[in-house]
Amino acid sequence: MNSPDLKNDASHQVWELDRRHFLHPFTHFESYEDSGSLIISGGSGSEMTDSNGQTYLDMIGGLWCNNIGLGRKEMADAIAEQVAKLSYSSTFTDMSNEPAARLASRLAELAPGDLNRVHFSTGGSTAVDSALRLAHYCQQCAGRPEKVHVIARRQAYHGSTYATISIGYKEADRRHGFRYIEDTIHHVSEPDLYRAPNGMGEAEFCDHLVKEFEDKIAEIGPDRVAAFFAEPVMGAGGVLVPPGDYLKRMHEVCKRNDILYVSDEVVTAFGRLGHWFASEDVFGIVPDIICSAKGLSSGYLPIGATIYSDRIHEIISTGDPSRVYTSGFTYAGHPVCCVAALKNIEIMERENILAHAREVGDYFGERLRDLEGMKLVGNVRGIGLMRCLENVLDRTTKEALPEDVDIGKRVSDAAESLGVLVRPIGRLNVMSPPLVVTKSEIDFAVDRLGQAIERVHDDLVREGWTPV
């Protein structure tokens, strides 16, 4: 991303203020110091406009969260009305507010099985962090105090608090200088069928993953494992769709060993796969805990929700009259954020956005497969409105380009110059457009992405590479 036109003084001033003072999440210092940020000044629907007036089709969906589209006046009006009525109230201990109570009830209606209890937070990281504390507390209250260990997958992303960045294990995020919880958090392999070991087929790979999980539980001790954390579809780790009945089998292993199954639906919930929640509707499991955020308010305001079962609530709330659930946040159940979430759900229902997402998600997958024959494109994968291209040097051997080539960023920069925003993650380009994206917008995005890949391919050839 390049600095703004120096002739635009106001734009350049904002760009410079940002560069001098704003430490962005996941900043790469060298490139940021050189190029700064793309300053977004406006947005409507699936489009964003930068401070110079350049318009882009946002195929990132903000950050997996712009579900109903940007700039909806109906959302702004609902938020403004609530601000005037009650801009804040604490929800600690025995205080609450009407929007929080109504949203908790609505989420209980939408969630699968007996997941009827809701603990609000401020976003995805805090929702997952809360799930970890809840899992520990539940096991303690159930008389299993040794169950403090958790298992997750490599290449998972579960947030960026100290606990959640430790539960996740994206190799690119494990940077020298930061510390991680390593004594009670363990990891097994990610379900990456494209790079399955020894050329395993889907069924064999699934068996391999489940056995690895069972072996890890045996190694730690089943009486010491509190919870298993898993995204239904791994998002930032590469849009990895689980093979076969992998998730069902992992869920069954958890049940056999009194391990709580935590489904991190921060990305997949609220329509990303065309359903309110993906755990049951797409993958046939009812977890013990679901973590949600992002699409809950379509990014209009920050809010997260940890939704858990009646069974867990019975365990933690009865038996000892001295129990106090000492976990929560100042902005938990914030009335304005809850109103935004309620209005977001209302809009999605009224406009039948889930059905639209299923239809256009299938179309998106079909169109992206048009790029499969291109050099550099090793794998096209995904489901619904979660899609990914994996760029490689050799499509037969799956050999990757060296990290310093920064292939994902080069493709995304080229696409940006053509008016389309896609997300670079290492050698990947990840896309998660708003759920209201149209087929014509998808056509535009895929065509421009193809042109961007061609440009990058030609540049690499000039530099001496030979993609095949």
Side-chain angles (χ1 to χ4, degrees):
M1 296 181 180
N2 298 318
S3 61
D5 185 348
L6 297 184
K7 294 178 182 178
N8 186 335
D9 292 338
S11 175
H12 180 69
Q13 182 182 36
V14 172
W15 177 84
E16 189 62 45
L17 289 172
D18 183 272
R19 193 169 68 96
R20 288 186 180 184
H21 302 292
F22 186 2
L23 177 60
H24 290 252
F26 296 86
T27 292
H28 179 259
F29 290 106
E30 184 178 15
S31 59
Y32 179 69
E33 183 63 28
D34 178 57
S35 301
S37 295
L38 176 67
I39 306 296
I40 299 298
S41 61
S44 177
S46 301
E47 291 187 339
M48 287 182 165
T49 304
D50 71 15
S51 55
N52 280 327
Q54 175 66 46
T55 298
Y56 307 90
L57 180 59
D58 176 24
M59 295 300 287
I60 308 173
L63 201 60
W64 313 94
C65 61
N66 177 19
N67 288 11
I68 63 169
L70 297 167
R72 286 196 178 236
K73 187 175 185 301
E74 186 177 359
M75 289 290 288
D77 289 345
I79 290 167
E81 182 181 342
Q82 182 59 43
V83 169
K85 182 179 180 180
L86 177 65
S87 60
Y88 173 77
S89 69
S90 168
T91 59
F92 272 41
T93 312
D94 58 357
M95 290 189 67
S96 193
N97 60 73
E98 182 179 346
R102 292 192 180 279
L103 180 59
S105 175
R106 195 73 183 93
L107 294 179
E109 291 175 359
L110 297 175
D114 69 337
L115 275 70
N116 294 313
R117 304 289 178 157
V118 181
H119 181 70
F120 287 119
S121 58
T122 56
S125 294
T126 48
V128 178
D129 200 294
S130 295
L132 175 63
R133 296 202 69 194
L134 176 61
H136 282 155
Y137 191 62
C138 177
Q139 298 288 12
Q140 173 71 34
C141 292
R144 298 187 285 260
E146 300 301 316
K147 277 184 169 282
V148 296
H149 293 252
V150 300
I151 301 174
R153 282 95 55 86
R154 298 184 70 87
Q155 293 305 106
Y157 181 81
H158 291 291
S160 61
T161 66
Y162 182 42
T164 58
I165 199 73
S166 300
I167 297 173
Y169 204 112
K170 272 188 65 190
E171 292 178 0
D173 295 344
R174 291 271 171 151
R175 296 291 177 170
H176 179 72
F178 285 101
R179 297 189 63 81
Y180 306 91
I181 301 169
E182 297 179 330
D183 56 342
T184 57
I185 296 177
H186 312 266
H187 298 89
V188 291
S189 298
E190 67 275 21
D192 185 353
L193 184 59
Y194 178 62
R195 295 189 176 276
N198 304 317
M200 289 181 182
E202 184 170 348
E204 185 184 6
F205 185 45
C206 189
D207 290 343
H208 167 77
L209 293 170
V210 174
K211 184 177 186 305
E212 182 189 18
F213 184 46
E214 292 174 327
D215 289 347
K216 178 60 70 173
I217 292 170
E219 174 191 325
I220 299 165
D223 58 340
R224 302 176 69 212
V225 181
F228 172 59
F229 285 74
E231 304 156 88
V233 176
M234 295 177 73
V239 188
L240 301 178
V241 182
D245 58 356
Y246 162 78
L247 287 183
K248 281 187 177 180
R249 293 174 64 185
M250 298 290 271
H251 185 241
E252 290 166 0
V253 172
C254 288
K255 287 194 293 185
R256 289 200 305 269
N257 292 279
D258 289 322
I259 295 170
L260 296 175
Y261 189 108
V262 183
S263 188
D264 180 350
E265 293 219 42
V266 169
V267 170
T268 56
F270 301 101
R272 184 57 49 192
L273 304 189
H275 300 274
W276 291 117
F277 295 96
S279 295
E280 182 179 38
D281 288 341
V282 181
F283 298 105
I285 63 170
V286 177
D288 299 290
I289 302 171
I290 289 179
C291 304
S292 63
K294 294 191 184 292
L296 174 56
S297 71
S298 284
Y300 275 77
L301 285 175
I303 184 171
T306 303
I307 310 166
Y308 65 99
S309 69
D310 287 333
R311 183 178 69 87
I312 289 177
H313 192 77
E314 177 73 14
I315 291 171
I316 66 175
S317 64
T318 61
D320 182 348
S322 67
R323 283 183 190 156
V324 178
Y325 194 71
T326 54
S327 180
F329 308 91
T330 298
Y331 298 118
H334 193 292
V336 184
C337 299
C338 289
V339 158
L342 285 165
K343 180 58 68 172
N344 174 65
I345 292 170
E346 176 191 322
I347 289 170
M348 291 181 70
E349 285 186 314
R350 188 177 68 238
E351 298 184 4
N352 206 16
I353 286 176
L354 296 180
H356 175 79
R358 291 193 294 272
E359 179 184 355
V360 80
D362 289 343
Y363 182 73
F364 190 22
E366 292 169 7
R367 281 304 326 271
L368 283 174
R369 282 191 285 275
D370 293 343
L371 306 181
E372 284 183 322
M374 299 185 70
K375 293 177 180 178
L376 292 181
V377 179
N379 187 229
V380 177
R381 59 178 177 261
I383 183 174
L385 287 170
M386 293 179 71
R387 301 286 171 174
C388 175
L389 301 184
E390 180 165 343
N391 304 291
V392 297
L393 179 62
D394 189 315
R395 291 178 296 156
T396 301
T397 66
K398 305 178 185 179
E399 179 187 355
L401 284 149
E403 186 177 344
D404 59 7
V405 171
D406 210 2
I407 183 64
K409 183 67 164 61
R410 290 177 72 153
V411 170
S412 70
D413 283 351
E416 181 186 312
S417 71
L418 294 169
V420 176
L421 299 179
V422 299
R423 185 181 179 190
I425 304 178
R427 61 177 175 266
L428 312 175
N429 288 111
V430 169
M431 289 154 282
S432 53
L435 307 187
V436 295
V437 68
T438 65
K439 290 182 179 180
S440 61
E441 288 174 328
I442 284 174
D443 288 337
F444 175 83
V446 174
D447 291 344
R448 294 299 174 92
L449 180 57
Q451 294 172 31
I453 293 169
E454 287 180 352
R455 286 188 185 183
V456 173
H457 170 269
D458 293 346
D459 288 343
L460 289 172
V461 170
R462 282 190 288 271
E463 294 168 17
W465 297 99
T466 54
V468 294

